[in-house]
Amino acid sequence: MTIGATTSERTAAVERSGFLSKRRVWIVLVRVAFVGGFFLLWEIASQRWIDAFLISSPSRILTSMIAGFRSGELIQHCWVTLQEIAIGFPAGVILGIGLGYAFGRSRLLAEVFEPIIIALNGIPRTALAPLFIVWLGIGIWSKVGVVFLLTFFLNFFNTYAGMRQLDQEYVDLARLMGARGWKLTFRVILPAISPYVFTGIRTSIPFAVIGAIVGEFVAATEGVGFFIRQAAGLFRTADVFVGIIVLMLMVIAIDKVAELIERRALRWQSTSEHVRIQG
Amino acid sequence: MEPTGHGARSRDELVIRIEGVTKAFQTPDRGRLTTLDNISLNVPYGQFITIVGPSGCGKSTLLKLIAGLTPTSGGRILYQGAEVRDLNTKVGYVPQESKLFPWLTLEENVAFGLDSKRYSREERERQLKYFIALAGLAGFENYYPSQLSGGMSKRASIIRALAYEPPVILMDEPFGPLDAQTRMVLQDELLKIWEQKRQTILFVTHDLVEAVALADRVVVMTHRPAHIMDVIDVPMKRPRNIFAIHRQEGFDEAYTRLWDIFRHELHIKTQ
Ligand SMILES: Nc1ncnc2c1ncn2[C@@H]1O[C@H](COP(=O)(O)OP(=O)(O)OP(=O)(O)O)[C@@H](O)[C@H]1O
Ligand SMILES: [Mg+2]
């Protein structure tokens, strides 16, 4: 009576992942060689060809970084920047998704406010950072504001795009089966648009960090952005690089967390990440 | 699982009455396109009705009207005596593509209509188990739709509509894109399920053999603007054997009548 998937499909998948793991070793090896080569070249360049005062060197950066973390100074700066992101980013994500969803649900809302939102989006948002300092002071709240602003629009636009792509038939079917309110929103609509929502969240992560740093560049007494500006002012190139690397790690760490959540939430999608195109 | 309990109702009690329904759409160039023209049909409880007609004549539209997904332009549809004005949550709907919710597992999909207010936990479990086994999908409960074959998705989509036991199920060419073999197996399964539950089914199809094989009555629609040209009674006994349907008494008679109507219609078109 039953036709369809069998255990052979499952074993095929296992075999493929076994093959992949062998491949993966190669991929990692090539990657490590590439990055290692780059650092080696940098180190050599700083000793022979270009003044280390300008480009610093991997060994100097490492020394500065260790010193910075030992003294606790760098940790304090990271802590401040992380706080700004930890408040501004989730607020921007949630409100962005919320408004995008509301625009998708209410045609009237969308018709009235869409041009306004698009106009607002035309403002180069980092240019507003000085205003935020005026309004919210030089403490963390002005930076929270900039982080929020940068995060909000990306999440709003992605969620709204998802809402416009939403398949009417899924909604109709769910409603015919009696889904309303909470169930319709959280069991049907949000899952249906979740690939868009996660695209919004993940593209906004680097922008959240940019927001915090720009705010700190403009006026601050603490934070990684402040640390970088101060180091540059004193021509401590190694410290500038330390700051940049710390920010990079921050983005990567937040993105990893987001990726984990995304993986769990989107595990229903077919797992192959690459479309195979031959020819 | 006991049957849905329509047995108590008299055979002729109507669940749906379609009274002079017309449906027109706005065309892209701002004109009006009449799709359904003065359609009337009575559907008694527990009947299996198939609907055939040329492509684009408005079969899907008719189902959508009954489900309340789109309003009529004229006439009215009574469902259990009340006029359908808004979404009709008392019908199950099986769309042309399976349209399982891809973010839910097979089991969660089938359970979607099993409202926690109407079904206790145990009833729900029982219902799920029963229908999943009936469709031959046991063992695949935790699979996502992307991991199922086309035929499996189809079956899941059908039991999703059956599981919460709506009195009427609307099926829009559910077996359309499948190969002949899978199709037959699914037709057979559908009839077996239906024979136990005896829900009312309105089943749209392109396939004349399928239309006769499954139905108590076949509704034949014309080209656009569509009206009902004829309703053919299929006198075959049940349970039927799908795999030898041609040899069953009554098949030829009904099929020949249906084919005559179609030939006539095609002939008119070619002049
Ligand atoms: N939302 C709509 N807006 C405008 N016209 C529509 C709409 N839905 C359907 N139509 C028109 O109504 C007619 C009937 O469509 P319908 O989908 O009901 O046909 P059908 O009989 O189901 O065809 P098929 O057998 O090919 O599925 C078509 O000519 C189509 O162009
Ligand atoms: Mg159709």
Side-chain angles (χ1 to χ4, degrees):
Chain A
M1 181 146 140
T2 310
I3 33 170
T6 58
T7 44
S8 73
E9 283 177 23
R10 267 172 276 172
T11 46
V14 171
E15 272 167 25
R16 208 176 308 132
S17 73
F19 165 68
L20 263 179
S21 72
K22 213 178 209 175
R23 231 174 83 107
R24 190 153 286 160
V25 173
W26 263 106
I27 289 173
V28 170
L29 276 179
V30 173
R31 194 185 291 154
V32 167
F34 184 82
V35 176
F38 174 77
F39 281 128
L40 195 67
L41 208 67
W42 189 354
E43 191 70 45
I44 293 169
S46 71
Q47 281 166 23
R48 308 232 170 125
W49 306 314
I50 310 172
D51 197 337
F53 176 73
L54 294 177
I55 61 164
S56 192
S57 72
S59 58
R60 273 168 247 246
I61 294 168
L62 197 66
T63 320
S64 294
M65 190 180 283
I66 292 168
F69 277 120
R70 277 247 173 88
S71 72
E73 188 201 348
L74 202 51
I75 293 175
Q76 174 60 21
H77 289 306
C78 287
W79 171 237
V80 171
T81 303
L82 277 175
Q83 269 180 303
E84 293 157 2
I85 295 169
I87 301 168
F89 179 66
V93 167
I94 290 167
L95 280 162
I97 294 172
L99 196 71
Y101 173 77
F103 267 50
R105 291 278 318 236
S106 162
R107 189 141 163 219
L108 184 70
L109 194 68
E111 275 175 20
V112 174
F113 287 105
E114 203 180 276
I116 299 175
I117 292 269
I118 287 171
L120 286 179
N121 185 43
I123 299 172
R125 284 183 286 286
T126 48
L128 292 175
L131 263 184
F132 275 76
I133 305 280
V134 173
W135 291 337
L136 299 170
I138 69 167
I140 68 165
W141 290 105
S142 49
K143 287 80 185 174
V144 169
V146 185
V147 172
F148 171 82
L149 210 58
L150 261 60
T151 312
F152 171 81
F153 278 94
L154 281 169
N155 281 282
F156 166 76
F157 280 111
N158 275 287
T159 305
Y160 186 34
M163 289 298 284
R164 278 179 308 190
Q165 293 286 312
L166 184 61
D167 189 335
Q168 181 72 49
E169 215 158 3
Y170 286 134
V171 179
D172 287 347
L173 270 168
R175 291 181 64 212
L176 280 177
M177 287 190 273
R180 278 182 286 123
W182 184 89
K183 189 176 181 185
L184 189 62
T185 302
F186 288 96
R187 280 296 261 183
V188 181
I189 299 178
L190 287 182
I193 64 167
S194 57
Y196 287 84
V197 171
F198 277 105
T199 305
I201 293 174
R202 290 191 63 186
T203 47
S204 66
I205 289 169
F207 286 91
V209 177
I210 289 171
I213 298 312
V214 167
E216 290 168 358
F217 277 175
V218 176
T221 56
E222 281 182 303
V224 180
F226 168 77
F227 176 80
I228 290 175
R229 212 178 64 139
Q230 197 187 34
L234 300 169
F235 298 102
R236 292 199 325 237
T237 341
D239 276 345
V240 173
F241 279 109
V242 169
I244 292 169
I245 290 170
V246 164
L247 291 177
M248 189 178 81
L249 294 177
M250 224 178 253
V251 171
I252 292 173
I254 301 171
D255 190 61
K256 273 284 167 221
V257 174
E259 190 189 345
L260 272 175
I261 298 171
E262 181 180 11
R263 274 251 183 90
R264 268 198 66 80
L266 300 185
R267 69 181 181 278
W268 50 273
Q269 286 189 324
S270 53
T271 40
S272 80
E273 286 166 23
H274 260 97
V275 176
R276 248 181 295 261
I277 302 166
Q278 248 141 25
Chain B
M1 207 81 356
E2 75 270 25
T4 12
H6 302 318
R9 289 191 176 93
S10 90
R11 254 196 83 65
D12 303 324
E13 199 184 333
L14 299 180
V15 58
I16 298 172
R17 295 172 56 165
I18 302 172
E19 298 180 344
V21 161
T22 299
K23 178 70 183 176
F25 287 108
Q26 193 152 48
T27 57
D29 53 2
R30 306 208 142 265
R32 269 168 82 79
L33 178 85
T34 304
T35 304
L36 297 174
D37 182 27
N38 196 15
I39 300 271
S40 294
L41 182 69
N42 286 337
V43 183
Y45 276 100
Q47 222 174 46
F48 199 131
I49 293 182
T50 55
I51 302 170
V52 294
S55 181
C57 75
K59 304 182 294 293
S60 299
T61 305
L62 184 61
L63 294 192
K64 288 199 172 124
L65 289 170
I66 296 170
L69 292 171
T70 176
T72 60
S73 313
R76 58 179 197 161
I77 296 174
L78 297 176
Y79 185 91
Q80 296 183 330
E83 188 171 344
V84 176
R85 292 171 189 279
D86 203 355
L87 209 68
N88 182 358
T89 55
K90 291 192 187 118
V91 298
Y93 191 80
V94 182
Q96 201 153 344
E97 298 100 43
S98 306
K99 291 285 173 179
L100 293 174
F101 301 122
W103 51 88
L104 300 179
T105 62
L106 187 150
E107 189 173 57
E108 290 167 336
N109 263 289
V110 178
F112 194 90
L114 297 172
D115 190 1
S116 51
K117 285 189 206 92
R118 257 183 64 205
Y119 294 86
S120 71
R121 241 183 101 91
E122 299 82 62
E123 276 174 333
R124 209 173 132 103
E125 296 286 312
R126 205 149 27 101
Q127 198 82 343
L128 280 178
K129 224 174 150 171
Y130 172 79
F131 276 101
I132 288 174
L134 202 60
L137 291 167
F140 293 95
E141 287 86 350
N142 297 320
Y143 279 52
Y144 285 102
S146 64
Q147 300 165 314
L148 301 172
S149 74
M152 293 166 88
S153 305
K154 213 70 258 192
R155 275 179 272 173
S157 157
I158 290 167
I159 58 170
R160 175 176 65 174
L162 290 165
Y164 65 104
E165 306 185 305
V168 172
I169 297 160
L170 310 172
M171 301 190 174
D172 194 354
E173 299 189 45
F175 305 147
L178 298 173
D179 63 279
Q181 230 176 325
T182 311
R183 230 179 137 97
M184 258 197 224
V185 173
L186 293 183
Q187 289 165 354
D188 182 55
E189 284 173 8
L190 177 62
L191 278 190
K192 282 190 182 130
I193 295 171
W194 178 74
E195 248 131 42
Q196 295 192 33
K197 294 287 173 187
R198 292 282 170 159
Q199 281 151 306
T200 311
I201 296 184
L202 267 77
F203 185 109
V204 168
T205 175
H206 267 129
D207 182 337
L208 300 190
V209 175
E210 180 172 82
V212 174
L214 299 177
D216 295 318
R217 285 197 299 161
V218 183
V219 173
V220 186
M221 287 169 66
T222 63
H223 278 281
R224 219 180 29 240
H227 52 269
I228 292 177
M229 181 184 293
D230 208 344
V231 179
I232 298 171
D233 285 309
V234 181
M236 269 189 292
K237 279 208 278 295
R238 297 194 187 265
R240 297 176 186 172
N241 178 4
I242 285 289
F243 302 101
I245 200 75
H246 294 272
R247 289 200 295 269
Q248 227 156 302
E249 201 186 308
F251 177 86
D252 269 339
E253 182 196 329
Y255 184 80
T256 309
R257 268 195 67 197
L258 188 58
W259 179 233
D260 275 345
I261 296 169
F262 260 78
R263 201 167 46 196
H264 194 63
E265 173 86 340
L266 288 174
H267 180 66
I268 289 166
K269 277 302 278 184
T270 48
Q271 276 184 349

